[in-house]
Amino acid sequence: MMTWPWPDDPASPRQGRTPPATLDKRLTQRVAERLRAHPSTRRARLTVEVQNGVALLTGTADSPEVERVAAEIAWDTEGIRDVCSMLRCAEVPRGSTAEGDVERASPERKTGPAAMVAGIATAWWLTFLLIAALGWAGVVIACVGATVALEVLRGRRSARV
């Protein structure tokens, strides 16, 4: 029978190891120092947090290049096992829409009242067929399908500008 050592036992095999929270604080400081030292990321408003060896980068970067460099710096830091970059880019690349802009529906897509009525009629017929064929299971499936359809319609309505 093996007995477990007491936590403060000097003969314990875990004695002398750095606690994970302390290691994460050190890694956070190391990544932050490296980001402050690099000319591309020096002026960026970045926040670094390390949890279990994973660097979490948040904040606003001036350009996509700064985002890339910040992630590379974090990856190159000794002790970092993974990087989760949640950086937002202040600059909008050419050809893309700004945040909050919604692309309008293409003219080929039918979005008028007639298309809406046809879609609702089709959904009702499918619902009746499911219920007739599957009984209570059809009712459950039909309810889920109706919920999804309503969310899609709500999304289309809110996407129109």
Side-chain angles (χ1 to χ4, degrees):
M1 172 183 218
M2 182 179 162
T3 58
W4 293 99
W6 290 95
D8 56 352
D9 183 12
S12 173
R14 304 191 103 213
Q15 196 67 20
R17 287 191 187 173
T18 306
T22 306
L23 183 61
D24 287 343
K25 287 179 185 176
R26 288 181 190 164
L27 287 172
T28 300
Q29 290 172 351
R30 195 175 308 150
V31 172
E33 287 170 2
R34 293 189 68 205
L35 288 171
R36 271 187 247 121
H38 196 277
S40 297
T41 57
R42 177 177 302 148
R43 291 182 202 96
R45 296 173 56 180
L46 307 177
T47 304
V48 180
E49 184 179 349
V50 176
Q51 295 178 354
N52 298 325
V54 178
L56 305 167
L57 302 175
T58 56
T60 306
D62 299 334
S63 68
E65 177 67 19
V66 173
E67 286 182 66
R68 185 186 61 76
V69 169
E72 285 179 2
I73 289 172
W75 266 113
D76 291 340
T77 304
E78 186 179 339
I80 296 295
R81 295 183 303 169
D82 198 4
V83 174
C84 179
S85 177
M86 296 178 282
L87 296 174
R88 300 189 84 168
C89 186
E91 175 186 303
V92 178
R94 287 186 175 184
S96 68
T97 59
E99 260 187 66
D101 287 353
V102 178
E103 294 182 22
R104 298 192 184 275
S106 63
E108 300 88 30
R109 177 186 275 174
K110 295 180 182 179
T111 57
M116 185 75 77
V117 170
I120 291 171
T122 303
W124 275 107
W125 280 110
L126 287 173
T127 303
F128 287 130
L129 288 173
L130 277 173
I131 292 171
L134 301 175
W136 283 107
V139 172
V140 172
I141 293 171
C143 289
V144 170
T147 304
V148 170
L150 286 173
E151 289 300 316
V152 168
L153 290 175
R154 186 178 297 148
R156 280 189 188 168
R157 218 176 300 134
S158 66
R160 292 184 192 154
V161 179

